[in-house]
């Protein structure tokens, strides 16, 4: 190639994409066979990757400023101003330090969460089909370069601006123009001196091919594309706030509002009613504000959801929105395809049926039943069968010696393999040379047809669902090459044979042909697919995935309902469903025709009875209708799909699940979750992970809220004492507790193992919030009260042991001042000890701690070790003693606190034991895997 001889690269700005195709090929120094891999690699270095760059400079100052002005941070600013106004400068400065430290920590967590979310994109790289080294290859889209020849097919997302040089496609240009109707683009339509977006021979990055196929010469990539120019004018889209975060934000605001109203209302009451000094009243108000604000809650939840998304990736499911993680936990219906999801999608043609009889293919290693022996003259009809298999096909087998694998639909690859085994395979290049027209597979008609030059003539070659093909046939091919009229008797024979093969779980296709007049080739699909001659049937084996049966059992235990929505024959779908345990021995089957005749009320009644269903011979429009009906009944629906026409149903479902391997780009774009292995078992694993993540979020919310009561109690005791009881906890100690010891264990609870029986309980209702009344009662009035009682017991025990009586002074210079400092230190340490017990108690909501293992969360153990070390520094290091007002505790005092965690955890363990006795767990507990 000339570019390899040192000639300069073409300048993209000087190219005219509307000039004649041959001139554009010359200017880009490319050919209709594409570039060589070596040249493409060199151009990638020159032009850079085909990706959009972000605008703007550093974002971190703006993000950090947002954390400093967060609504909850504003409440702390108010507390600092209140303390400053009252002359408590040290407390005011300490609150400011808390704001800065919290903001920094939240900022780090937000950045980690954002990186975790963005990292998910790396698991879903956009891919493109190109011609390299004269062969069709699949590459990552960011490796496209100007001069590449892009292969565009139905369902592909177009990854660069390109000029069509062969074929025609319908393209969804709404991302660029806002027009919802697809536009037709063809290599045969040439426009000059018109705006690029109106040129009928150009396609653009960011658009999607909804029908047709073609080849296009790439002339612009990255920021040089039309989409790149738009991106250069736009700021980056902000991260979506999930519904869960919105719920927690509302609750946090409610708590903060209560704290503000209570604090402000108490100041005049304390000053004029309880006769407290203004200084003490302000201290109380500041303490109440600080103690009630859940500073780290929102960033911890954001990070937990993001890390949960990363965990799902390891299980084979990539979520594109954080909200999908929480939605998974409430899914109660899975609408699944059959082929490739329940089955292995490793198809091979096991048997064929023609006028020569039911036959096993040569060299087939699958025995699916006995058949009649091949009769004389069968080679003629088998040759015709193989010709249609090869010609009415778009798959490309792996080239001998090539590192690239086969490309195409597994069904079509199986047909190519079968044609080769019959001795009549052809190369993709010969197939393309002979093809004159193509009518893509239509999921409604369930047909695909091509017009091909072969066997010294022009032929219409058709394949599709037997009932769709046979009704368009009027003759049947015989073993000697002659044809007979397709009588009603023969039609019934064909139908019986289809049913017989389908009952074995085989996927059946019919193949037909028609000789055409070369001078009057049909222009439309309807003209092509009429007066056909039936050649025969192919039966493909696609066994169920071995792990699906167990996954279906997990679904049943978890209250998940499985509905199969497939385009396959009802008997084939029923056979597969029976093998994996869906629907029982006699499942309810609804065909596409029966569904079309159903009214909305009839469909609602059918779905309402709760049984598992099989919708066979269903269209993508049927998927959308089923998803709407289920959602109208209040179900949370996960819907699988892989085609262009599945996109509306994937968008409408609560969780649209696209296939990562076999799915189209359009389906992956519409879905909220993509399966990297196309496996039904992965959906179930993702639901389990979603439940686990949601449970863990509840656990650390309970953990954080449980500390509100012990944080507020000392200030209430001080206020209700009217000055007779000294303040049991200083504001500085409270701030040290909030900043130093709370967040790490909360993060650790977000990584907790699943409780036993997680998949043995029904799904949570979609209307159920993450924060429920029983959780708040457990946190505030059970765990919180126990912690508060223990810490106040420690406080009074130290004071009384030192000889204190109600009303005795404890200020600086008094005999009891050192004992008072030790008493407040006991309150602080009692809160830390209670926090440890709360952390272990919050690890399970229903099961015993022993069932999941005391030491199975090493991150929590490290978090507890950190907070104990920090507490020791605060208590025994002289600088912190001066700052926080703490004093060294004696061994006897430490021994007094040691039982606190066990008392808190033990009380909750007893509560859970009583709960289990009243409402037994649905399954025997066993260690979580």
């Amino acid at each position: 190639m000339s570019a390899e001889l040192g000639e300069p690269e073409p300048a993209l700005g000087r190219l005219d994409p509307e000039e004649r195709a041959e001139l554009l090929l010359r200017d880009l120094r490319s050919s209709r066979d594409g570039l060589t891999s070596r040249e493409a690699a060199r151009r990638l270095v020159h032009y850079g990757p085909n990706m959009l760059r972000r605008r703007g400079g550093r974002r971190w100052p703006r993000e950090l400023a947002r954390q400093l002005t967060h609504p909850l941070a504003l409440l702390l600013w108010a507390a600092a101003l209140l303390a400053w106004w009252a002359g408590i400068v040290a407390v005011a400065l300490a609150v400011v330090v808390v704001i800065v430290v919290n903001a920094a920590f939240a900022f780090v967590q937000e950045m980690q969460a954002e990186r975790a979310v963005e990292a998910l994109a790396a698991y879903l790289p956009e891919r493109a089909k190109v011609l390299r080294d004269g062969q069709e290859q699949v590459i990552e889209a960011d490796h496209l370069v100007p001069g590449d020849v892009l292969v565009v097919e139905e369902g592909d997302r177009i990854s660069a601006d390109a000029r069509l040089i062969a074929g025609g496609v319908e393209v969804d240009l709404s991302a660029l123009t806002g027009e919802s109707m697809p536009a037709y683009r063809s290599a045969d339509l040439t426009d000059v001196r018109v705006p690029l977006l109106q040129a009928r021979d150009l396609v653009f990055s960011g658009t999607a091919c909804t029908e047709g196929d073609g080849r296009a010469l790439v002339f612009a990539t990255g920021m040089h594309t039309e989409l790149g120019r738009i991106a250069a004018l736009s700021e980056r889209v902000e991260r979506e706030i999930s519904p869960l975060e919105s719920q927690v934000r509302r609750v946090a605001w409610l708590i903060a509002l209560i704290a503000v109203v209570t604090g402000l209302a108490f100041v005049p009451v304390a000053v004029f009613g309880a006769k407290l000094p203004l200084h003490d009243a302000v201290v109380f108000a500041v303490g109440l504000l600080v103690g009630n604000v859940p500073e780290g809650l929102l960033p911890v939840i954001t990070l937990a959801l993001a890390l949960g998304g990363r965990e799902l990736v390891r299980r084979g499911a990539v979520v594109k929105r954080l909200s999908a993680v929480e939605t998974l936990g409430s899914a109660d219906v899975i609408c699944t395809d059959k082929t490739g999801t329940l089955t292995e999608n490793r198809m091979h043609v096991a048997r064929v049926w023609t006028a020569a009889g039911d036959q096993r293919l040569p060299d087939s290693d699958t025995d699916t039943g006995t058949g009649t022996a091949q009769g004389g003259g069968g080679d003629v009809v088998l040759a015709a069968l193989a010709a249609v298999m090869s010609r009415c096909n778009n798959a490309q087998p792996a080239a001998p010696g090539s590192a690239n694998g086969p490309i195409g639909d597994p069904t079509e690859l199986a047909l190519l393999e079968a044609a080769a085994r019959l001795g009549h395979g052809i190369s993709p290049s010969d197939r393309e040379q002979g093809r004159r027209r193509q009518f893509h597979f239509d999921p409604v008609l369930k047909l695909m047809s091509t017009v091909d030059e072969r066997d010294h003539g022009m032929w219409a070659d058709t394949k599709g669902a037997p009932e769709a093909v046979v009704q368009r046939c009027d003759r049947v091919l015989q073993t000697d090459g002659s044809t007979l009229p397709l009588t009603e008797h023969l039609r019934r024979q064909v139908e019986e044979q289809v049913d017989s093969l389908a009952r074995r779980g085989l996927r059946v296709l019919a193949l037909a042909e028609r000789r055409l007049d070369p001078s009057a080739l049909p222009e439309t699909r309807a003209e092509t697919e009429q007066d056909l001659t039936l050649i025969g049937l192919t039966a493909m084996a696609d066994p169920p995935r071995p792990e699906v049966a167990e996954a279906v059992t997990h679904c049943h235990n978890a209250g998940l309902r499985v509905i199969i929505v497939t385009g396959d024959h009802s008997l084939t779908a029923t056979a597969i469903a029976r093998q994996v345990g869906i629907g029982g021995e006699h499942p309810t089957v609804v065909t596409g025709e029966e569904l079309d005749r159903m009214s909305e009320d009839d469909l609602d009644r059918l779905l309402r009875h709760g049984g598992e269903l099989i919708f066979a011979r269903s269209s993508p429009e049927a998927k959308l209708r089923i998803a709407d009906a289920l959602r109208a009944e209040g179900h949370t629906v996960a819907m699988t799909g892989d085609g262009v026409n599945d996109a509306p149903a994937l968008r409408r479902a609560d969780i649209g699940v696209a296939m990562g391997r076999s799915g189209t780009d359009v389906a992956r774009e519409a879905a909220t979750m993509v399966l990297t292995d196309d496996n039904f078992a992965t959906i179930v694993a993702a639901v389990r992970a979603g439940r686990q993540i949601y449970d863990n979020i509840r656990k650390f919310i309970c953990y954080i809220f449980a500390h509100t009561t012990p944080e507020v109690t000392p200030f209430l005791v001080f206020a209700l004492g009217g000055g007779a009881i000294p303040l049991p906890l200083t504001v500085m100690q409270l701030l040290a507790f909030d900043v130093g010891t709370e967040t790490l264990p909360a993060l650790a609870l977000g990584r907790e193992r699943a409780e036993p029986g997680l998949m043995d309980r029904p799904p949570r209702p979609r209307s159920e919030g993450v924060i429920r009344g029983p959780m708040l009662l457990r946190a505030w009035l059970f765990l919180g009260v126990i912690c508060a009682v223990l810490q106040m017991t420690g406080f009074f025990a130290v004071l009384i042991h030192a000889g204190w009586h109600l009303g005795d002074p404890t200020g600086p210079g008094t005999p009891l001042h050192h004992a008072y400092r030790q008493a407040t230190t006991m309150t602080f340490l009692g809160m830390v000890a209670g926090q440890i017990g709360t952390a272990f108690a919050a690890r399970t909501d229903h099961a015993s701690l022993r069932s999941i293992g005391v030491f199975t969360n090493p991150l929590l153990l490290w978090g507890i070790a950190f907070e104990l070390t920090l507490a020791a520094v605060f208590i025994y290091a002289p600088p912190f003693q001066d700052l926080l007002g703490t004093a060294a505790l004696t061994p006897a005092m430490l021994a007094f606190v040691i039982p606190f965690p066990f008392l808190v955890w033990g009380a909750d363990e007893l509560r859970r034991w009583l709960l289990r006795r009243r409402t037994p767990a649905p399954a025997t507990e066993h260690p979580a895997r």
Side-chain angles (χ1 to χ4, degrees):
M1 187 172 291
S2 58
E4 298 182 42
L5 300 178
E7 292 187 17
E9 297 288 353
L12 297 184
R14 295 198 299 270
L15 289 173
D16 180 9
E18 295 180 353
E19 65 183 349
R20 286 192 298 112
E22 297 305 324
L23 294 179
L24 188 60
L25 283 166
R26 181 203 65 189
D27 292 344
L28 286 166
R29 294 195 302 284
S30 184
S31 70
R32 292 181 181 270
D33 293 328
L35 303 172
T36 65
S37 297
R38 181 178 172 184
E39 171 65 11
R42 198 178 66 78
R43 292 193 184 193
L44 183 62
V45 173
H46 179 83
Y47 291 112
N50 175 36
M51 56 194 303
L52 302 183
R53 295 188 299 272
R54 291 184 182 178
R55 280 192 69 218
R58 297 178 179 176
R59 297 176 55 245
W60 69 263
R62 184 174 72 252
E63 292 295 329
L64 185 57
R66 190 170 65 87
Q67 296 298 338
L68 290 169
T69 56
H70 189 278
L72 297 179
L74 293 177
L75 292 174
L76 294 179
W77 283 114
L81 289 174
L82 190 61
W84 188 277
W85 171 76
I88 318 171
V89 179
V91 171
L93 292 176
V95 174
V96 171
V97 170
V98 168
I99 295 170
V100 173
V101 172
N102 267 331
F105 192 79
F107 167 73
V108 170
Q109 287 178 303
E110 289 278 4
M111 291 298 99
Q112 283 183 327
E114 184 171 310
R115 283 195 295 270
V117 173
E118 290 178 351
L120 298 181
Y123 295 99
L124 287 177
E126 286 195 25
R127 301 190 181 277
K129 290 186 280 289
V130 296
L131 293 180
R132 293 264 178 95
D133 302 317
Q135 294 182 348
E136 189 174 313
Q137 300 181 19
V138 177
I139 65 170
E140 292 194 10
D142 59 3
H143 289 176
L144 280 173
V145 295
D148 265 325
V149 174
L150 192 63
V151 179
V152 182
E153 297 176 343
E154 179 180 328
D156 287 350
R157 179 157 293 281
I158 298 167
S159 305
D161 289 2
R163 162 75 176 271
L164 285 165
I165 57 175
V169 293
E170 284 195 354
V171 183
D172 177 7
L173 293 171
S174 57
L176 295 176
T177 65
E179 294 292 333
S180 59
M181 293 297 294
Y184 184 67
R185 297 289 185 261
S186 172
D188 298 330
L189 302 174
T190 303
D191 286 322
V192 294
R193 296 187 179 89
V194 298
L196 287 184
L197 291 177
Q198 297 178 18
R200 293 176 295 170
D201 52 354
L202 301 183
V203 292
F204 300 94
S205 176
T207 63
C209 173
T210 59
E211 189 175 337
D213 68 281
R215 295 183 177 181
L217 177 65
V218 174
F219 63 81
T221 59
M223 297 301 290
H224 296 285
T225 63
E226 291 299 303
L227 187 64
R229 293 189 181 95
I230 294 174
L233 302 175
S234 306
E235 289 289 346
R236 184 173 173 273
V237 176
E238 293 294 329
R239 182 184 64 82
E240 172 199 19
I241 295 178
S242 75
L244 174 60
E245 292 175 279
S246 299
Q247 280 186 58
V248 175
R249 191 184 295 272
R250 287 195 298 271
V251 172
W253 266 111
L254 177 62
I255 295 170
L257 180 62
I258 293 172
V260 170
V261 171
T262 306
L264 294 179
F266 180 80
V267 171
V269 173
V271 172
F272 300 107
K275 305 302 183 182
L276 280 179
L278 179 62
H279 176 279
D280 292 346
V282 171
V283 166
F284 171 80
V286 171
L288 205 61
L289 277 177
V290 174
N292 276 283
V293 173
E295 299 94 341
L297 186 59
L298 292 177
V300 167
I301 285 180
T302 302
L303 187 59
L305 286 174
L307 293 177
R310 297 289 293 272
E311 178 65 25
L312 287 174
V313 166
R314 285 193 285 273
R315 297 171 186 258
V318 182
V319 292
K320 296 163 61 179
R321 296 199 304 264
L322 290 184
S323 57
V325 176
E326 60 191 274
T327 307
L328 279 167
S330 62
D332 63 339
V333 179
I334 300 177
C335 295
T336 176
D337 288 321
K338 178 189 75 66
T339 303
T341 310
L342 300 178
T343 63
E344 295 181 352
N345 209 17
R346 291 191 295 109
M347 294 187 187
H348 64 276
V349 178
R351 308 193 70 81
V352 296
W353 179 88
T354 63
D358 177 16
Q359 306 163 49
R360 185 183 299 110
L361 278 192
D363 300 324
S364 173
D365 57 359
T366 301
D367 186 7
T368 58
T370 59
T372 59
Q374 178 176 322
D379 286 346
V380 175
V381 70
L382 288 177
L385 195 73
V388 177
M389 288 180 185
S390 301
R391 297 286 180 173
C392 189
N393 200 311
N394 285 324
Q396 179 175 320
S402 172
N404 298 310
I407 299 173
D409 181 80
T411 300
E412 296 196 330
L413 288 168
L415 292 176
L416 286 183
E417 179 197 9
R421 294 202 330 245
L422 289 171
H424 297 281
I426 62 170
S427 67
S429 59
D430 290 340
R431 179 180 65 203
E432 293 300 320
Q433 288 178 2
R435 180 171 295 178
R436 296 296 175 264
R437 284 190 178 82
Q438 177 180 208
F439 302 97
H440 278 272
F441 176 76
D442 188 313
V444 176
L445 297 176
K446 297 180 177 59
L447 292 172
M448 173 184 173
S449 296
T450 56
V451 175
D452 301 295
E453 183 178 354
R454 62 174 174 86
D455 302 332
H456 311 292
M458 288 290 182
W459 296 81
D461 296 322
T462 298
K463 73 170 188 285
E467 63 271 23
V469 173
V470 172
Q471 73 177 7
R472 289 168 172 77
C473 295
D474 57 11
R475 305 191 71 80
V476 61
L477 184 65
Q478 299 298 295
T479 55
D480 60 359
S482 63
T483 62
L484 288 178
L486 189 58
T487 63
E488 286 302 316
H489 174 69
L490 286 176
R491 288 180 189 272
R492 283 195 299 273
Q493 280 189 333
V494 174
E495 291 172 2
E496 290 171 0
Q497 189 62 38
V498 170
D499 291 348
S500 174
L501 293 169
R503 285 192 187 95
R504 306 178 202 175
L506 300 176
R507 188 181 188 193
V508 185
L509 291 179
L511 297 101
E513 65 181 10
R514 176 164 69 98
R515 192 162 193 133
L516 303 173
D517 181 357
S519 62
L521 294 181
E523 293 292 335
T524 67
R525 177 168 215 142
E527 292 173 351
T528 304
E529 296 170 344
Q530 65 178 358
D531 302 328
L532 298 172
T533 297
L534 178 66
I535 304 172
L537 307 173
T538 64
M540 283 171 279
D542 184 19
R545 295 177 183 266
E547 63 273 18
V548 166
E550 182 182 3
V552 170
T553 301
H554 288 319
C555 285
H556 294 160
N557 294 338
L560 288 166
R561 181 180 172 193
V562 183
I563 296 175
I564 298 177
V565 186
T566 178
D568 271 353
H569 194 283
S570 59
L571 293 176
T572 305
T574 302
I576 296 297
R578 188 177 296 117
Q579 293 178 50
V580 299
I582 297 175
E585 284 298 314
H586 303 288
T588 302
V589 181
V590 180
T591 65
E593 292 181 357
E594 293 170 342
L595 181 62
D596 290 341
R597 290 195 297 268
M598 280 186 181
S599 66
E600 297 303 322
D601 290 339
D602 291 338
L603 179 59
D604 290 344
R605 278 193 294 271
L606 176 67
L607 294 172
R608 193 177 300 137
H609 74 71
E612 293 186 329
L613 305 169
I614 297 174
F615 290 92
R617 292 300 191 214
S618 296
S619 65
E621 290 75 16
K623 281 188 175 183
L624 180 60
R625 188 180 175 196
I626 293 166
D628 279 339
L630 285 168
R631 294 195 70 199
E633 289 294 318
H635 295 287
T636 302
V637 183
M639 173 75 74
T640 68
D642 56 9
V644 175
N645 294 323
D646 289 332
L650 293 177
R651 289 192 184 96
R652 190 68 56 86
D654 298 281
I655 309 163
V657 183
M659 303 297 109
R661 292 182 179 176
S662 60
T664 60
D665 293 341
V666 173
R668 286 194 288 268
E669 183 75 16
T672 52
M673 185 170 80
V674 179
L675 302 183
T676 57
D677 56 3
D678 294 10
N679 192 342
F680 176 83
T682 302
I683 303 176
V684 182
V687 170
R688 185 181 188 277
R691 289 188 177 190
Q692 177 184 345
I693 292 164
Y694 201 83
D695 275 5
N696 288 347
I697 290 173
R698 280 181 164 169
K699 289 172 185 176
F700 68 66
I701 289 176
C702 177
Y703 166 81
I704 289 175
F705 280 8
H707 303 149
T708 301
T709 304
E711 287 180 0
V712 171
T713 297
F715 297 92
L716 290 177
V717 170
F718 168 67
L720 295 175
I725 300 174
L727 185 62
L729 182 75
T730 68
V731 174
M732 300 291 283
Q733 290 166 353
L734 175 60
L735 295 174
F737 176 81
D738 272 338
V739 174
T741 63
E742 187 173 73
T743 306
L744 284 182
L747 285 172
L749 288 172
R751 308 293 291 166
E752 189 62 55
R753 289 188 176 193
E755 286 191 42
L758 178 71
M759 290 296 284
D760 295 326
R761 66 191 190 208
R764 62 178 174 85
R766 63 187 299 168
S767 58
E768 181 182 292
V770 66
I771 299 174
R772 296 178 300 164
M775 175 202 291
L776 296 179
L777 291 175
R778 180 190 180 197
W780 287 340
L781 299 183
F782 185 76
L783 292 171
V785 166
I786 293 173
C787 291
V789 168
L790 290 174
Q791 73 191 38
M792 295 312 298
T793 301
F795 170 77
F796 285 113
V798 172
L799 274 182
I800 293 172
H801 184 267
W804 175 83
H805 295 87
L806 192 66
D808 287 350
T810 57
T814 63
L816 291 175
H817 181 61
H818 180 71
Y820 167 70
R821 291 183 60 163
Q822 284 184 317
T824 61
T825 305
M826 276 290 283
T827 306
F828 171 77
L829 186 60
M831 290 173 62
V832 173
Q835 187 180 56
I836 294 171
T838 302
F840 278 103
R843 290 185 64 190
T844 64
D845 186 51
H846 188 276
S848 67
L849 183 60
R850 180 176 56 84
S851 67
I852 65 170
V854 177
F855 304 107
T856 53
N857 190 339
L859 186 59
L860 179 61
L861 300 178
W862 281 109
I864 290 172
F866 171 79
E867 66 176 330
L868 286 175
T869 303
L870 196 60
V873 172
F874 289 160
I875 293 171
Y876 292 101
F880 286 101
Q881 289 178 341
D882 297 337
L883 177 65
L884 304 178
T886 57
L889 300 178
T890 65
M893 295 174 183
L894 295 177
F896 188 85
V897 176
I898 286 174
F900 285 11
F902 300 97
L903 292 173
V904 174
W905 162 75
D908 195 70
E909 190 76 18
L910 178 61
R911 181 195 67 84
R912 282 179 273 120
W913 177 74
L914 294 173
L915 184 65
R916 289 196 299 275
R917 288 194 64 185
R918 190 168 66 249
T919 55
T924 302
E925 293 180 2
H926 52 82
R929 295 179 182 176

